[in-house]
Amino acid sequence: MVQKAKILLVDDRPENLLALEAILSALDQTLVRASSGEEALKALLTDDFAVILLDVQMPGMDGFETAAHIKRRERTRDIPIIFLTAINHGPHHTFRGYAAGAVDYISKPFDPWVLRAKVSVFVELYMKNCQLREQAALLRLQLEGGDKAAAGEAKEPAGLLAELSARLAAVEEQAEALSKQLDDESADAAAVATAAHLERKLTGLRRALDALEPGTGSSSSVPSQN
């Protein structure tokens, strides 16, 4: 059973956090509050998040500085960041947000439907990546089982191969549907690029799985999924 994705909400004003929770509650995911940049960084030490909604203006460590710390950490550098700001100082201010690593920059007051739609795209991409990692783990188990069988242990891999192929097919179908949705909605370039990266990883995993089928060659030729 797939766990819910976690969404990190960072804002120093409790009323703003409450508003974000009301908007995003329909996504039925786990919403985690942080009232400062420091608190957000602590949460990121232990939990994995699908996306971060980060307020720009906060006392002490502001949104730009917080984002810089997030992008410097190997564990968190790839988490999408959506900046939320109540001020608009023109293109230079917006550019600073993108330069800090944001995938989007939204000025308050924002359209709740638009924000929810943007967040849902990154949640879907995160869930597909989690499923892909699960398939890769199963594939590694299959490879290890194949090595043991080659060493003389009796093991029948056909059943696990069939299950792995079926699970991978389901993820491939969902990824294809998500890519079509992004094309139809003219989504953010960052979301489209992430989806394309996911499809490439799925293609590599499918090739690796096909290589395990009887008569298709040695498992030593399986490509890396990194």
Side-chain angles (χ1 to χ4, degrees):
M1 187 174 181
V2 178
Q3 292 183 341
K4 293 182 179 181
K6 291 183 178 180
I7 302 170
L8 183 58
L9 313 177
V10 189
D11 199 304
D12 63 296
R13 300 176 67 89
E15 62 271 25
N16 290 342
L17 291 172
L18 186 63
L20 288 174
E21 288 176 336
I23 293 170
L24 300 176
S25 61
L27 298 180
D28 192 28
Q29 304 300 325
T30 302
L31 306 178
V32 178
R33 283 187 175 202
S35 58
S36 66
E38 292 86 353
E39 190 175 335
L41 294 177
K42 288 181 181 179
L44 289 163
L45 287 174
T46 55
D47 290 326
D48 294 324
F49 292 89
V51 61
I52 302 170
L53 274 62
L54 180 57
D55 184 41
V56 171
Q57 284 191 302
M58 295 186 295
M61 184 184 297
D62 66 11
F64 295 130
E65 187 178 354
T66 302
H69 282 288
I70 293 172
K71 292 303 177 181
R72 279 199 292 264
R73 293 178 178 177
E74 184 176 356
R75 174 188 172 91
T76 59
R77 65 178 54 162
D78 294 326
I79 302 177
I81 298 174
I82 298 177
F83 272 133
L84 305 176
T85 179
I87 59 175
N88 186 0
H89 292 316
H92 175 74
H93 197 263
T94 303
F95 175 77
R96 186 182 175 191
Y98 288 116
V103 297
D104 210 339
Y105 194 96
I106 302 177
S107 297
K108 304 174 185 177
F110 44 77
D111 186 326
W113 187 92
V114 171
L115 178 63
R116 186 164 54 243
K118 288 177 180 291
V119 171
S120 69
V121 169
F122 290 106
V123 168
E124 287 189 66
L125 289 172
Y126 174 82
M127 300 299 281
K128 298 301 180 295
N129 271 301
C130 288
Q131 290 178 312
L132 181 57
R133 287 195 294 269
E134 179 185 348
Q135 310 313 316
L138 284 173
L139 179 57
R140 284 193 295 270
L141 287 174
Q142 177 57 49
L143 290 174
E144 292 171 1
D147 291 341
K148 291 179 180 179
E153 296 184 14
K155 186 175 179 69
E156 177 53 54
L160 185 55
L161 275 175
E163 179 184 356
L164 191 60
S165 181
R167 291 192 182 192
L168 181 57
V171 180
E172 289 171 331
E173 182 178 352
Q174 294 170 2
E176 182 180 358
L178 178 59
S179 294
K180 290 181 179 179
Q181 177 185 347
L182 291 175
D183 290 340
D184 293 341
E185 296 179 356
S186 300
D188 299 325
V192 174
T194 303
H197 178 64
L198 175 61
E199 287 192 339
R200 288 193 296 272
K201 293 175 72 175
L202 283 170
T203 299
L205 188 55
R206 172 58 68 183
R207 288 174 180 169
L209 183 60
D210 290 344
L212 293 175
E213 294 293 339
T216 58
S218 170
S219 62
S220 62
S221 61
V222 174
S224 171
Q225 290 303 305
N226 294 329

